[in-house]
Amino acid sequence: DEMGKEMKDLREDAEDDDWGGEVMTVDQALEHVGGFGTFQRWQTFSLGMCWLICGMLALGPVSWNMKLMKDTGWGSCQEEQLSNTIYFGAQFVANAFWGPSADRLGRRKNILGAVILTALGGAITAMARNFTVYNIGRSICGFGTAGMSLVTTVLLSEVVEAESRSIVICFYLQVFYALGMCLLIPSSFLFGETDWRSEVGFPTLLALTWIPLLLAFCRESPRFFAAKGELGNALAEIAYIGESNNRPLPSNIRLVNSHKAPASEKGSKLGAMDLFRGPRLRMLTMVMCANWGIIG
């Protein structure tokens, strides 16, 4: 279509070393096209729904565990705690996977992969005929929901303006998570006294429904492309955001990367221990780890 052709032209122009025009960094270009317009609001809703599903699956056993015990005979307090440990243990391990994977393959692909894994885990859990299979399903759910919550946060923070970022990430996404937990109350009454499978199936069905919607509407982060050096693709994504927000980019824009690595650091890879590389960063890392430890 016409918009796709314009984005292709922008991509080719940005990769042409001999092309002149106005120079913008990624931050400046995103600010120009609107930091919290129609595009970002839709992204907040679509990615927030991932958090709603996470909330339902994280706290779900509190609602369906008694039904599980009545229906199957397994799900005692000890078994419930074991299952919860497996779920959150899978999340803990998964965080070490989803972060590097999102940096290597992109935010969009990892969100889709996480939602697919979550739906698969939910389906296995709902159809489980013994406690071992139930726990396998819960572990897959935990692995998937970790990616949903982690990578959606990264993607959304990279397309929202700095002024709105804190309220979008720290408030709006948490609202969706809380709504997911609150939805467990009506779903508990909606299904029968022993129909725990339908309770597990409800968020699983939501995840399955959300896969084609994310395929159709979820866009890759322009910052991811810029970090990879693909400034043409980054410019095309920013142009798409501008068209969606009715604030198009000027036709003579050239995108440049605002962050250049020092020559001594080029080719080197950052790791988890770099979070402790300086007194200020080390203290911030320790405070955040302690904060999340208390929350857990």
Side-chain angles (χ1 to χ4, degrees):
D1 58 8
E2 184 177 347
M3 184 174 173
K5 184 178 182 301
E6 291 178 1
M7 291 171 65
K8 181 179 179 181
D9 293 340
L10 282 168
R11 184 182 293 111
E12 292 172 351
D13 288 340
E15 292 171 349
D16 184 1
D17 290 335
D18 297 327
W19 180 78
E22 185 179 352
V23 175
M24 281 189 178
T25 65
V26 175
D27 290 327
Q28 291 169 336
L30 283 171
E31 183 179 352
H32 181 88
V33 299
F36 196 60
T38 302
F39 174 85
Q40 287 88 350
R41 292 189 183 98
W42 168 247
Q43 290 285 84
T44 301
F45 171 74
S46 61
L47 300 179
M49 283 296 295
C50 292
W51 278 71
L52 183 144
I53 295 167
C54 290
M56 295 192 73
L57 288 170
L59 205 66
V62 176
S63 173
W64 71 61
N65 191 66
M66 291 300 295
K67 298 180 180 182
L68 180 71
M69 291 175 63
K70 289 181 180 180
D71 182 45
T72 64
W74 33 271
S76 64
C77 291
Q78 184 177 357
E79 289 174 328
E80 179 190 5
Q81 292 307 313
L82 173 62
S83 180
N84 288 338
T85 300
I86 290 172
Y87 176 86
F88 288 106
Q91 282 197 328
F92 177 78
V93 173
N95 283 325
F97 167 81
W98 290 114
S101 181
D103 287 339
R104 183 171 62 255
L105 301 176
R107 286 61 162 127
R108 181 177 182 271
K109 290 179 181 177
N110 276 269
I111 290 172
L112 287 166
V115 176
I116 291 170
L117 266 183
T118 300
L120 174 64
I124 293 173
T125 303
M127 294 186 291
R129 298 299 172 182
N130 59 66
F131 189 59
T132 300
V133 175
Y134 176 84
N135 282 331
I136 291 173
R138 287 293 287 165
S139 67
I140 296 174
C141 273
F143 200 97
T145 54
M148 288 170 67
S149 57
L150 174 65
V151 187
T152 53
T153 302
V154 175
L155 176 56
L156 196 55
S157 68
E158 291 179 337
V159 297
V160 173
E161 64 185 357
E163 290 79 6
S164 303
R165 194 172 298 146
S166 59
I167 191 170
V168 171
I169 303 301
C170 301
F171 179 69
Y172 291 157
L173 290 183
Q174 300 304 318
V175 167
F176 279 97
Y177 192 79
L179 284 174
M181 293 188 288
C182 291
L183 275 176
L184 293 170
I185 299 173
S187 70
S188 178
F189 287 105
L190 181 63
F191 304 113
E193 291 185 3
T194 59
D195 191 9
W196 64 274
R197 298 182 191 277
S198 295
E199 277 201 64
V200 182
F202 181 43
T204 302
L205 183 61
L206 280 178
L208 285 170
T209 303
W210 224 244
I211 292 170
L213 291 174
L214 288 172
L215 278 169
F217 299 110
C218 183
R219 306 285 302 190
E220 185 53 83
S221 165
R223 295 183 190 276
F224 166 74
F225 284 129
K228 289 288 186 180
E230 300 176 18
L231 295 179
N233 287 330
L235 183 59
E237 289 299 325
I238 296 173
Y240 180 89
I241 296 173
E243 294 292 338
S244 300
N245 291 345
N246 291 319
R247 293 183 61 177
L249 280 172
S251 59
N252 62 336
I253 289 297
R254 181 180 179 85
L255 204 63
V256 295
N257 225 330
S258 56
H259 301 290
K260 295 289 186 181
S264 59
E265 293 186 7
K266 286 185 178 179
S268 63
K269 292 184 178 180
L270 297 176
M273 297 309 297
D274 287 290
L275 293 171
F276 299 89
R277 185 169 54 174
R280 181 179 176 85
L281 184 57
R282 182 163 53 246
M283 177 60 68
L284 179 61
T285 300
M286 293 172 65
V287 169
M288 292 183 68
C289 287
N291 182 44
W292 279 103
I294 294 169
I295 293 172

